[in-house]
Amino acid sequence: MSLAVLLPVMASQNPENSSHVPTQLITLPCSDLLLGMYVCELDRPWTETPFPVKGFHIRRIEDLETLRLFCKQVVIDTTRGVSPRRQRAANLTILSSARKRSPPVAEIAVSHDVYKITGAVKQEIDTVERLYQELSTLYDKVIISARNDKPLRLASLTRVSGGIRNSIIRCPDAFIWFLNTNSHDSCLLNHSLRAAVWSLLLTRHIGYSTADMDVVFLGTLLADIGMAKLPESLVRKTGGFGRREYLAYRKHVRMGEDLLRIEGEVDNNVTSIVRAHHERHDGLGFPRGQRGDQIPVMARIANLAYCYDRLLKHGARGVTVAPANAVRRLYKQRKLKFTEQLVFEFIQVLGLYPAGSIVELTSREIAIVVEQNPGEKLQPKIALVTDDNKSLLKKPRLVNPVDNKSAADNWTVIRALELGSYAIQPENLREEIFGKRIGIGKFGVRV
């Protein structure tokens, strides 16, 4: 699916400000139509077109192309689908001007067909939690070693990192669900672990070899290891830095390089990630002010992974925001902090509504996104948690809109909601959604 058409849908939806209004019909030229809109009237008889007479949602690029062949304009119902993007008084903004000045870069080679999804979130979710906890325990020891100037013993991470990589290859949505539904704080430990997993998800999607996936994972995991040498008050600080604090903070890059140098035989690409993960595409990063192609691709991936995880914890109070909202903010940083291609690829990894998102449907029901349906960005697999009056169901109801075409229109996502909306906590509904776990240790299944 072309992101050139998909992403404006995301940009037009702001979960922070959206609210429902009575049925509203708007006439639009076909050139302004977006995925997710609901078409209720045509400018010619329905019988002269291949479309259903009662109206329909625009779900695929092919729907847009067919509409443009048959019609010049249509009428959409904004209460049943996506609204038109807001037209700005002036197209030239500070951000758009900055993007125009961004340096040209060579596109990275991408191969989306290297890895096939062979598992489901239900099958993988317990393995994901176990592997993440093992990684957390091992990485905590690495941080303690760094603080005490002792060898990091990175070889201990190899087994668990390989397990995480293989799990992501089998079912990427399992880790996306886990990271989006488990509460976390912004401490060095959690932030580095989560960023490392986000980087693995992206490298899987663009077709990196397993060896290169492991390098990016380790480099991202260690990118901020130098912060273990900084004062705790600086590491945990929220809000902006003063000048002296910022200068002190920047030193963690060099400190991280020093720690790897002491460690000995570390892949040069891992070191380059640590050295360049704070550089920006527009040259406003540090420590060297590199821009564009001067920044190693693996370091760009690590930087994007860290940035996205920070966007999930937004503001001085560290409020957790909806994953779809974080995706929207990331989209705005294309050509500034990151190359446009890399941002587009990462958004394809997550989907427009990532697993674990709380969403509202055209039926007015509230649901939790369980996993994506490939090629159906607006109709992921979901668990219904309320009725159309927003009353909580006794038990979530799992549905896949793609498998039930007669009801698919009612289950199209129209907007994302903030975490905790309608007292819904996906983290607390795992057993109701995926079944009760039976077994001991690694040997368990959900039924």
Side-chain angles (χ1 to χ4, degrees):
M1 180 176 292
S2 171
L3 280 171
V5 179
L6 177 61
L7 288 174
V9 180
M10 178 183 65
S12 70
Q13 294 177 323
N14 188 339
E16 295 175 289
N17 301 321
S18 58
S19 59
H20 284 299
V21 295
T23 300
Q24 184 176 2
L25 305 181
I26 299 177
T27 300
L28 282 181
C30 288
S31 58
D32 289 348
L33 295 176
L34 303 171
L35 291 177
M37 285 182 169
Y38 186 85
V39 177
C40 58
E41 293 182 26
L42 305 179
D43 61 359
R44 64 187 299 171
W46 288 93
T47 53
E48 297 179 6
T49 74
F51 300 110
V53 176
K54 294 183 179 180
F56 63 97
H57 279 96
I58 303 173
R59 295 203 188 93
R60 302 176 180 83
I61 301 299
E62 291 76 11
D63 295 337
L64 288 170
E65 294 172 345
T66 305
L67 269 170
R68 289 165 185 164
L69 287 175
F70 284 90
C71 306
K72 292 183 178 180
Q73 63 182 26
V74 298
V75 177
I76 66 167
D77 183 347
T78 61
T79 65
R80 301 186 67 180
V82 170
S83 299
R85 73 189 85 174
R86 296 172 181 173
Q87 300 297 326
R88 296 180 178 179
N91 290 328
L92 187 61
T93 64
I94 294 175
L95 285 180
S96 62
S97 298
R99 289 192 186 100
K100 287 182 178 180
R101 296 194 300 269
S102 63
V105 293
E107 289 213 345
I108 61 175
V110 170
S111 180
H112 295 148
D113 299 323
V114 174
Y115 304 107
K116 303 296 183 184
I117 295 175
T118 59
V121 175
K122 178 179 180 178
Q123 300 166 333
E124 200 70 31
I125 192 65
D126 294 310
T127 299
V128 162
E129 183 170 21
R130 174 178 57 80
L131 289 169
Y132 189 84
Q133 292 304 321
E134 288 181 16
L135 178 65
S136 176
T137 299
L138 290 171
Y139 190 60
D140 190 34
K141 294 178 180 178
V142 171
I143 292 177
I144 293 172
S145 296
R147 286 173 179 158
N148 296 318
D149 293 320
K150 293 183 178 180
L152 303 181
R153 303 187 186 280
L154 300 179
S156 63
L157 297 171
T158 303
R159 178 186 58 81
V160 66
S161 65
I164 292 174
R165 177 241 299 148
N166 291 337
S167 174
I168 285 174
I169 287 175
R170 290 190 297 268
C171 179
D173 272 332
F175 253 111
I176 294 174
W177 165 278
F178 177 80
L179 294 184
N180 283 338
T181 60
N182 279 264
S183 58
H184 69 285
D185 60 35
S186 56
C187 73
L188 172 60
L189 174 63
N190 277 328
H191 194 39
S192 296
L193 296 181
R194 293 168 59 87
V197 175
W198 293 125
S199 72
L200 262 187
L201 286 158
L202 178 53
T203 53
R204 177 206 184 276
H205 174 73
I206 60 182
Y208 270 30
S209 68
T210 55
D212 284 343
M213 288 175 69
D214 292 344
V215 168
V216 174
F217 178 82
L218 183 60
T220 307
L221 188 65
L222 298 175
D224 272 348
I225 192 65
M227 293 190 58
K229 306 292 290 181
L230 297 179
E232 189 70 15
S233 59
L234 191 60
V235 173
R236 287 191 170 272
K237 181 178 173 62
T238 58
F241 287 124
R243 182 176 180 277
R244 289 186 178 180
E245 290 174 324
Y246 180 63
L247 292 176
Y249 167 76
R250 285 172 51 129
K251 292 179 180 178
H252 80 271
V253 175
R254 177 179 54 78
M255 292 175 175
E257 289 185 79
D258 291 342
L259 287 168
L260 294 188
R261 194 176 298 112
I262 295 171
E263 184 68 13
E265 295 183 4
V266 177
D267 190 294
N268 289 334
N269 287 317
V270 171
T271 304
S272 73
I273 292 173
V274 174
R275 181 186 303 120
H277 76 285
H278 277 296
E279 303 290 358
R280 288 176 40 140
H281 176 62
D282 58 9
L284 298 180
F286 65 87
R288 295 167 179 80
Q290 293 176 315
R291 64 198 301 263
D293 283 327
Q294 296 173 336
I295 308 170
V297 174
M298 289 183 175
R300 298 180 216 169
I301 291 172
N303 188 9
L304 187 149
Y306 270 96
C307 181
Y308 175 71
D309 200 63
R310 290 189 185 98
L311 290 174
L312 290 170
K313 275 294 213 184
H314 181 70
R317 292 176 298 172
V319 177
T320 302
V321 303
N325 198 6
V327 167
R328 183 176 58 83
R329 290 184 175 128
L330 185 69
Y331 174 65
K332 290 183 177 180
Q333 297 180 6
R334 70 196 188 282
K335 291 189 176 181
L336 301 174
K337 290 186 177 180
F338 320 104
T339 62
E340 191 166 44
Q341 181 195 16
L342 210 55
V343 172
F344 284 3
E345 294 296 340
F346 190 63
I347 292 173
Q348 282 195 342
V349 172
L350 299 174
L352 192 56
Y353 303 100
S357 298
I358 301 174
V359 296
E360 184 171 6
L361 310 174
T362 48
S363 62
R364 300 289 183 262
E365 296 165 294
I366 306 300
I368 300 172
V369 176
V370 177
E371 56 190 309
Q372 301 298 316
N373 274 312
E376 298 285 350
K377 297 296 184 182
L378 297 174
Q379 291 193 310
K381 299 174 186 178
I382 54 177
L384 300 174
V385 289
T386 79
D387 59 22
D388 56 3
N389 292 318
K390 306 298 190 295
S391 297
L392 290 174
L393 303 177
K394 291 183 178 180
K395 183 179 180 180
R397 177 188 169 200
L398 289 170
V399 296
N400 187 354
V402 173
D403 293 340
N404 192 336
K405 296 188 182 300
S406 63
D409 283 349
N410 291 330
W411 292 332
T412 296
V413 177
I414 59 173
R415 66 170 180 146
L417 303 175
E418 293 297 341
L419 300 181
S421 297
Y422 299 99
I424 298 168
Q425 297 292 343
E427 184 177 2
N428 299 331
L429 294 173
R430 181 186 297 184
E431 187 168 295
E432 287 84 350
I433 293 174
F434 298 118
K436 186 175 181 180
R437 188 174 188 275
I438 298 177
I440 300 175
K442 299 180 182 179
F443 305 101
V445 294
R446 288 193 175 267
V447 295

